[in-house]
């Protein structure tokens, strides 16, 4: 029997009526002769509400207990969905993270999944039950409750799909699929029919919010076919899968924009071995994730280093750099939040030339200055002033003709 894993996000289970709607979808797939596993998030806004409660007590709540708290959101929705399905005459059974178990490391709030044993779930499936798994939750080796990070239910779903070798993992959300860019920025954004894991991974890491990055990594590693689609209609959605020959026709498939990064510039540092190592080791030790890095060629034995980090870590990043300043004698250490990173992504870039030039000229024509550039085989990113972010997205979307279906 084919096995389908379906994941429903917070808005899809936002109230009882919507939960009933989810139950009907699950039931109709079951009736078509599929084994069904369903992964759900907490009701929309619930995780935020719980975090805010804890933060009213203290700005830095105990991390273990915060996970105990926020994991409750998903425990509510799995139970409500199971109760709904049972009342419709189906046999359903819920699994909290620790009951699967979704085994993770002990990084509270950002745990990584190690193992998802399939035996218990397979027994229930064999008995015809619909399995409902709480997203977002895991359990570490010492039986502490952990959570996977915001948006982590996508990862739960893909991990469960991988463990059970599901035929399909459907991620239901409040949008119709993956778009060429954020439809809020331009009405010309178009839904993509089929996209490669690699492209989706770049999009997720570059700020497209539709899928959580670790979920895509998991899907790619275990080759889980993913479909992203709306829980409010029957439109087809976007298939995320392995690269195929029909995917390479365009050079650029999507434009993304991330305004949640900040830039730190350390100017006038001594140009000597060990400086970069000192700075970036200190940041890594404090778990500050560095994205783009630029170092200028040196003049009179001095150089400038700029890099970007998540905006939320700017204070921490500056503090770290100032704390080790004595090792590299900087003239100045500056932070700037007023930046945006716009990127173009596409597997086809590997076989087209002039893609970067086309991007830079389009920005130049609008008088947008590029402060940093980074490239990979399938993406080009530029850091610009934040106020130009949406304009840049629109012109790049036009220049690469992403509104035209291929
Ligand atoms: N409820 C969690 C969150 O809001 C996990 C998820 O929705 O995927 O981040
Ligand atoms: Mg910003």
């Amino acid at each position: 029997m084919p096995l389908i894993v379906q994941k429903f996000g917070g808005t899809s289970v936002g109230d009882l009526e919507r939960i009933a709607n989810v139950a009907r979808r699950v039931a109709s797939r079951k009736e078509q002769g599929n084994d069904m596993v369903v992964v759900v998030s907490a009701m929309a806004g619930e995780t935020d509400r719980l975090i805010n409660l804890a933060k009213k007590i203290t700005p830095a709540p105990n991390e273990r207990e915060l996970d105990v708290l926020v994991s409750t959101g998903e425990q509510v929705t799995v139970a409500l969905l199971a109760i709904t399905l049972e009342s419709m005459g189906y046999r359903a059974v819920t699994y909290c993270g620790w009951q699967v178990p979704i085994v993770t490391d002990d990084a509270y709030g950002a745990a990584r999944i190690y193992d998802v044993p399939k035996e218990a779930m397979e027994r229930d499936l064999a008995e015809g039950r619909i399995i409902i798994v709480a997203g977002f939750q895991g359990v570490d080796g010492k039986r502490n409750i952990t959570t996977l990070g915001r948006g982590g239910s996508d990862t739960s779903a893909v991990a469960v799909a991988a463990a059970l070798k599901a035929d399909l993992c459907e991620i239901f959300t409040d949008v119709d699929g993956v778009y060429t860019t954020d439809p809020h920025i331009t009405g010309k954004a178009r839904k993509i029919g089929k996209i490669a894991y690699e492209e989706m991974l770049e999009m997720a890491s570059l700020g497209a919010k539709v899928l959580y990055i670790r979920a895509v990594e998991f899907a790619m590693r275990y080759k889980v076919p993913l479909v992203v689609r709306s829980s409010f209609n029957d439109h087809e959605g976007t298939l995320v899968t392995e690269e195929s020959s029909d995917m390479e026709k365009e050079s650029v498939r999507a434009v993304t924009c991330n305004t949640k990064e900040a830039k730190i510039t350390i100017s006038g540092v001594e140009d000597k071995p060990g400086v970069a190592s000192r700075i970036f080791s200190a940041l890594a030790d404090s778990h500050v994730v560095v994205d783009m890095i630029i170092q200028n060629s040196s003049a009179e034995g001095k150089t400038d280093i700029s890099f970007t980090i998540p905006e939320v870590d700017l204070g921490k990043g500056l503090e770290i750099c100032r704390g080790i300043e004595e090792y590299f004698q900087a003239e100045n250490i500056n932070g700037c939040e007023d930046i945006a990173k716009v990127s173009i992504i596409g597997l086809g870039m590997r076989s087209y030339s002039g893609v970067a030039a086309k991007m830079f000229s389009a920005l130049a024509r609008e008088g947008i200055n590029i402060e940093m550039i980074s490239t990979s085989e399938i993406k080009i990113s530029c850091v610009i002033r934040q106020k130009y972010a949406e304009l840049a997205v629109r012109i790049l979307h036009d220049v690469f003709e992403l509104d035209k279906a291929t």
Side-chain angles (χ1 to χ4, degrees):
M1 214 184 265
L3 171 68
I4 299 178
V5 175
Q6 295 189 320
K7 181 258 167 178
F8 293 89
T11 45
S12 311
V13 293
D15 57 36
L16 291 181
E17 203 178 307
R18 288 184 174 186
I19 290 176
N21 181 38
V22 166
R24 280 193 292 275
R25 268 188 189 270
V26 174
S28 84
R29 287 293 216 175
K30 176 80 181 158
E31 295 296 342
Q32 288 163 6
N34 301 291
D35 277 339
M36 295 302 300
V37 178
V38 189
V39 177
V40 290
S41 298
M43 287 182 173
E46 177 64 5
T47 309
D48 286 331
R49 187 185 73 85
L50 294 166
I51 292 172
N52 288 336
L53 276 181
K55 294 218 160 144
K56 273 193 192 147
I57 307 171
T58 163
N62 177 288
E63 292 182 326
R64 179 184 186 277
E65 307 316 330
L66 190 60
D67 275 4
V68 172
L69 177 69
V70 298
S71 62
T72 60
E74 274 71 11
Q75 186 162 338
V76 170
T77 46
V78 284
L80 291 173
L81 180 58
I83 291 168
T84 308
L85 281 163
E86 288 277 337
S87 76
M88 291 163 61
Y90 293 89
R91 291 201 298 155
V93 56
T94 59
Y95 281 71
C96 287
W98 62 272
Q99 291 170 310
V100 175
I102 309 262
V103 186
T104 71
D105 62 16
D106 62 2
Y108 297 117
R112 276 187 183 267
I113 299 175
Y114 276 150
D115 190 26
V116 181
K118 59 181 180 179
E119 289 69 25
M121 289 188 291
E122 279 183 344
R123 272 195 301 277
D124 276 319
L125 286 173
E127 288 171 9
R129 291 197 171 82
I130 296 170
I131 294 186
I132 304 168
V133 179
F136 187 47
Q137 319 179 344
V139 60
D140 74 3
K142 293 188 178 142
R143 301 220 263 167
N144 296 300
I145 291 174
T146 56
T147 65
L148 308 178
R150 299 308 305 270
S153 297
D154 286 356
T155 317
S156 310
V158 179
V160 166
L164 293 168
K165 299 207 167 37
D167 296 281
L168 185 64
C169 180
E170 289 183 299
I171 308 276
F172 287 89
T173 176
D174 50 5
V175 292
D176 276 354
V178 180
Y179 279 74
T180 49
T181 196
D182 182 347
H184 298 112
I185 299 182
T186 166
K188 292 184 189 168
R190 192 174 47 81
K191 188 176 73 191
I192 301 170
K194 194 161 140 191
I195 186 169
Y197 293 125
E198 289 83 354
E199 291 170 320
M200 194 62 237
L201 198 58
E202 290 282 9
M203 283 181 76
S205 68
L206 290 168
K209 287 171 212 80
V210 60
L211 272 179
Y212 186 56
I213 180 163
R214 282 191 191 167
V216 185
E217 276 169 3
F218 238 101
M220 182 157 111
R221 181 155 1 116
Y222 296 100
K223 301 197 186 347
V224 179
L226 273 186
V227 168
V228 181
R229 57 190 300 184
S230 167
S231 62
F232 303 119
N233 60 48
D234 284 317
H235 300 170
E236 224 169 74
T238 301
L239 174 66
V240 189
T241 182
E242 286 185 276
E243 178 178 356
S244 59
S245 53
D246 56 326
M247 283 179 179
E248 284 236 19
K249 295 201 182 96
E250 319 109 271
S251 59
V252 174
R253 191 180 307 279
V255 183
T256 62
C257 169
N258 183 354
T259 53
K260 296 279 183 294
E261 284 190 26
K263 181 169 87 166
I264 292 184
T265 303
I266 306 180
S267 39
V269 294
E270 286 177 86
D271 193 12
K272 63 176 187 192
V275 172
S277 146
R278 177 72 76 167
I279 297 169
F280 295 107
S281 304
L283 290 164
D285 289 345
S286 302
H287 306 289
V288 174
V289 179
V290 176
D291 180 25
M292 292 161 116
I293 302 176
I294 289 190
Q295 180 174 334
N296 286 345
S297 59
S298 80
E300 292 154 28
K302 301 251 180 197
T303 184
D304 301 336
I305 298 177
S306 294
F307 54 91
T308 63
I309 58 176
E311 208 168 69
V312 290
D313 287 334
L314 180 59
K316 190 165 154 188
L318 284 170
E319 204 177 295
I320 291 166
C321 294
R322 291 188 177 128
I324 54 172
E325 199 177 339
E326 56 185 294
Y327 295 104
F328 47 73
Q329 312 286 342
E331 278 157 17
N332 220 328
I333 300 180
N334 261 319
C336 172
E337 286 185 32
D338 176 28
I339 60 161
K341 181 172 71 172
V342 288
S343 312
I344 55 175
I345 298 134
L347 283 176
M349 260 181 225
R350 291 179 305 209
S351 36
Y352 285 82
S353 62
V355 178
K358 196 165 166 182
M359 177 183 195
F360 304 152
S361 326
L363 296 174
R365 273 197 301 277
E366 297 295 328
I368 301 174
N369 188 42
I370 303 171
E371 299 178 23
M372 297 171 105
I373 299 168
S374 83
T375 64
S376 80
E377 239 196 337
I378 63 164
K379 75 124 208 267
I380 304 168
S381 301
C382 295
V383 167
I384 60 175
R385 286 290 113 178
Q386 195 159 313
K387 68 175 180 205
Y388 295 123
E390 298 200 351
L391 173 64
V393 168
R394 282 193 288 269
I395 59 166
L396 293 172
H397 199 271
D398 281 347
V399 160
F400 291 101
E401 302 185 346
L402 297 186
D403 56 326
K404 302 213 172 80
T406 45

